[in-house]
């Protein structure tokens, strides 16, 4: 050894190994979040829906191997291809083992014939994205809509049962049963991603829209207690919506309206949180931080959506979002247009949450008393007061009328019901502002 060369001791090597391990774990975590669903979709398209659970198992096994291998040997040039190759080999081994165990002649490679038969079947529909195709598979009309959405969100979007239950306004136990029944039904039907027809894509498109919509919603307002925004979910939802809006087979007015809606909201993501991670209301946001590129794209797609003869909830929501994005400030907002947008939305897709937002818009347009009357009408129909935003809206309108006692009680109830730390912190800020307003009114 050349004496002039530096000698690496334990103190030098250990930090490098630890750093490599940390980097590999970071990459595996990244691929688990971003690539796991795509990997499962690709494997399922190759090996068939009957091997869906196998695809999930080998995808997880491949990620576990990556954690070990990449720590020792470094990250490969194409991590996605590495994961697919490992997972695919694991799947082939498992299928071959099961085929030989179940066959009378152990010398016949039944697995190879099975795999080839799946690979040879492909349609001429120009949608190449495996994940999107699998969402269409989930949305089979023989499966109830709520089960379709639950299965797609669970297996292809990485949602937990609790997150799905929150999105669908049901229980975790119900979600688990829906997913199990949907998987059993799809395996029995044997509909493969490569065998979907143009008619299949057209019939399933509304439910696919619903999955993409809920995927973005979870990213925009996360159910995780310590994380308000999950940007990766928003980005994936926009990507899927863009494919739907651009492909001739799915390029309907509803697809354009959905994409416009997601782009309008995505443009405001950065401005929704301050430097400390606290949530900012629309009236508090610095509108100069809104992404003009995304806003322009949103208006372009909204224009295309209005050229269609169809009218969906996404048209109404995109109209409302467009009105907010056109305004230079809260005071500059045309609240009559916002209210009319919610009138349309409530007629197309009745919902207590839509009616709640309509009541807030009425409060801005016609005054706090009119807004309170609209809120009371909502609560009289059902348990709207179990929703924390109902209480925050009630508190805001009460404060505007000078009813600080009821405003404080409503904010305290909202704090108890708020699902995330960021939303609880926002309500605490509202309580502080209310206290200051009460003090000023007494002076």
């Amino acid at each position: 050894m050349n004496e002039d060369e530096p000698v690496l001791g334990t103190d030098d090597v250990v930090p490098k190994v630890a750093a490599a391990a940390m980097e590999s774990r970071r990459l595996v975590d990244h691929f688990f979040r971003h690539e796991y669903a795509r990997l499962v979709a690709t494997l399922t398209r190759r090996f068939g829906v009957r091997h869906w659970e196998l695809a999930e198992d080998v995808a997880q096994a491949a990620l576990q191997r990556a954690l070990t291998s990449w720590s020792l040997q470094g990250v490969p040039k194409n991590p996605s291809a590495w994961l697919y190759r490992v997972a695919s080999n694991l799947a082939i081994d498992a299928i071959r083992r099961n085929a030989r165990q179940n066959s009378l002649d152990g010398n016949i490679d039944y697995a190879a014939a099975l795999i080839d038969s799946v690979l040879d079947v492909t349609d001429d529909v120009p949608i190449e994205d495996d994940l999107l195709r699998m969402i269409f598979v989930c949305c089979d009309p023989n499966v109830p809509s709520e089960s379709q959405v639950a299965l797609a969100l669970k297996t292809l979007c990485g949602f937990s049962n609790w997150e799905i239950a929150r999105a669908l306004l049901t229980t975790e136990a119900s979600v688990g049963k829906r997913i199990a029944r949907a998987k059993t039904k799809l395996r029995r039907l044997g509909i493969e991603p490569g065998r979907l027809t143009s008619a299949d894509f057209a019939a399933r498109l509304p439910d696919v829209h619903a999955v993409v919509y809920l995927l973005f919603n979870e990213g925009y307002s996360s159910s995780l207690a310590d994380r308000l925004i999950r940007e990766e979910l928003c980005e994936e939802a926009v990507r899927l919506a863009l494919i739907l809006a651009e492909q001739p087979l799915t390029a309907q007015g509803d697809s354009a309206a959905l994409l416009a809606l997601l782009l309008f909201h995505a443009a405001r993501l950065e401005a929704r949180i301050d430097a400390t991670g606290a949530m900012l209301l629309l009236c508090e946001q610095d509108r100069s931080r809104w992404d003009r590129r995304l806003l322009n794209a949103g208006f372009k797609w909204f224009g295309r959506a209005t050229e269609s003869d169809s009218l969906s909830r996404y048209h109404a929501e995109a109209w409302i979002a467009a009105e907010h994005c056109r305004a230079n400030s809260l005071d500059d907002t045309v609240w009559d247009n916002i209210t009319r947008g919610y009138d349309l939305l409530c007629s197309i897709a009745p919902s207590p949450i839509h009616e709640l937002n309509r009541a807030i818009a009425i409060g801005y347009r016609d005054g706090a008393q009119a807004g309170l009357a609209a809120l009371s009408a909502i609560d009289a129909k059902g348990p709207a007061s179990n929703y924390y935003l109902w209480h925050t809206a009630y508190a805001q309108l009460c404060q505007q009328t000078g009813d600080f006692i009821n405003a404080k009680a409503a904010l305290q109830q909202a704090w108890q019901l708020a699902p995330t730390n960021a939303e609880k912190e926002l309500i605490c800020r509202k309580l502080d502002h209310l206290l200051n307003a009460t003090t000023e009114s007494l002076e």
Side-chain angles (χ1 to χ4, degrees):
M1 178 183 293
N2 188 329
E3 293 181 357
D4 295 331
E5 292 179 356
V7 177
L8 293 178
T10 302
D11 291 341
D12 300 304
V13 174
V14 171
K16 290 186 177 181
V17 173
M22 289 179 62
E23 175 65 10
S24 65
R25 180 174 292 276
R26 184 189 68 79
L27 280 169
V28 170
D29 288 344
H30 166 81
F31 278 98
F32 192 90
R33 289 193 303 269
H34 295 273
E35 298 292 332
Y36 171 76
R38 197 179 314 282
L39 184 57
V40 170
T42 302
L43 292 168
T44 306
R45 183 176 183 179
R46 179 180 183 187
F47 298 115
V49 170
R50 56 191 172 282
H51 293 299
W52 191 334
E53 291 180 348
L54 173 63
E56 293 175 337
D57 292 340
V58 297
Q60 292 187 34
L63 287 162
Q64 288 296 325
R65 289 196 180 188
L67 187 60
T68 302
S69 177
W70 296 359
S71 298
L72 299 175
Q73 302 175 17
V75 179
K77 291 183 179 180
N78 190 334
S80 296
W82 188 99
L83 284 169
Y84 175 74
R85 184 175 64 255
V86 170
S88 183
N89 289 338
L90 289 172
I92 291 172
D93 290 343
I95 293 173
R96 186 169 283 132
R97 258 193 325 271
N98 291 337
R100 285 174 177 166
Q101 289 172 359
N102 297 327
S103 70
L104 297 176
D105 187 348
N107 295 319
I108 299 177
D109 195 346
Y110 292 96
L114 179 151
I115 294 166
D116 289 341
S117 68
V118 174
L119 284 171
D120 288 342
V121 176
T122 183
D123 55 44
D124 57 357
V125 177
I127 294 181
E128 297 300 328
D129 190 86
D130 286 331
L131 180 59
L132 188 56
R133 276 180 171 268
M134 281 302 298
I135 294 176
F136 274 97
V137 169
C138 289
C139 295
D140 189 288
N142 294 290
V143 176
S145 292
E146 62 273 13
S147 298
Q148 298 172 5
V149 173
L151 178 60
L153 292 177
K154 175 70 173 182
T155 61
L156 301 175
C157 303
F159 281 31
S160 68
N161 284 6
W162 185 83
E163 291 167 341
I164 298 171
R166 178 175 179 260
L168 300 182
L169 303 178
T170 185
T171 64
E172 289 185 66
S174 176
V175 167
K177 291 177 182 177
R178 291 178 185 180
I179 292 171
R181 286 195 296 263
K183 275 190 173 182
T184 300
K185 185 72 171 180
L186 288 174
R187 280 196 298 268
R188 188 178 301 125
L189 292 170
I191 303 298
E192 302 298 346
R195 293 175 179 170
L196 296 174
T197 66
S198 297
D200 290 330
F201 280 94
R204 302 174 189 208
L205 184 57
D207 289 314
V208 172
H209 284 154
V211 172
V212 175
Y213 177 85
L214 290 173
L215 176 62
F216 185 91
N217 274 0
E218 175 58 24
Y220 188 79
S221 183
S222 170
S223 57
L224 299 181
D226 59 348
R227 192 175 175 193
L228 175 63
I229 295 175
R230 297 169 69 179
E231 294 87 350
E232 73 278 5
L233 297 185
C234 293
E235 291 172 1
E236 181 66 2
V238 170
R239 186 188 72 82
L240 294 172
L242 181 60
I243 296 174
L244 293 174
E246 288 184 334
Q247 286 289 345
L249 186 64
T250 55
Q252 302 177 3
D254 296 7
S255 297
L258 174 61
L259 176 58
L261 171 64
L262 302 193
L263 288 169
F264 286 139
H265 286 312
R268 295 158 46 190
L269 282 177
E270 184 179 344
R272 291 188 68 226
I273 298 179
D274 67 14
T276 67
M279 181 195 298
L280 295 176
L281 295 174
L282 184 62
C283 60
E284 301 173 316
Q285 293 175 17
D286 179 0
R287 300 191 179 209
S288 67
R289 296 178 63 199
W290 290 2
D291 190 318
R292 302 309 307 181
R293 179 181 59 86
L294 294 178
L295 287 179
N296 291 336
F299 283 114
K300 181 193 78 170
W301 284 104
F302 184 55
R304 293 190 186 181
T306 58
E307 296 172 358
S308 169
D309 293 333
S310 65
L311 193 62
S312 68
R313 63 172 295 176
Y314 307 115
H315 286 82
E317 291 194 52
W319 178 22
I320 295 165
E323 290 296 330
H324 281 302
C325 292
R326 285 193 183 101
N328 295 319
S329 66
L330 198 68
D331 293 336
D332 188 43
T333 304
V334 183
W335 287 105
D336 184 55
N337 286 347
I338 299 288
T339 304
R340 288 167 55 208
Y342 278 115
D343 288 341
L344 177 61
L345 179 59
C346 289
S347 68
I348 295 174
S351 162
I353 296 175
H354 297 160
E355 292 184 15
L356 167 63
N357 289 323
R358 176 179 174 275
I360 296 171
I362 289 174
Y364 278 111
R365 185 188 68 177
D366 301 332
Q369 290 293 349
L372 285 171
L375 278 180
S376 297
I378 298 168
D379 196 41
K381 297 178 183 178
S385 56
N386 291 332
Y387 185 47
Y388 84 101
L389 287 178
W390 188 94
H391 293 281
T392 60
Y394 182 76
Q396 175 182 327
L397 293 168
C398 284
Q399 184 174 345
Q400 290 175 10
T401 65
D403 184 357
F404 298 120
I405 294 177
N406 280 327
K408 179 181 178 182
L411 285 176
Q412 290 173 333
Q413 182 65 23
W415 188 91
Q416 294 289 337
L417 297 170
T420 70
N421 294 337
E423 287 158 320
K424 287 181 181 293
E425 192 277 336
L426 174 61
I427 294 169
C428 287
R429 281 171 29 217
K430 284 178 172 286
L431 280 166
D432 290 340
H433 294 160
L434 178 63
L435 179 61
N436 293 334
T438 304
T439 302
E440 291 174 2
S441 68
L442 295 175
E443 291 178 352

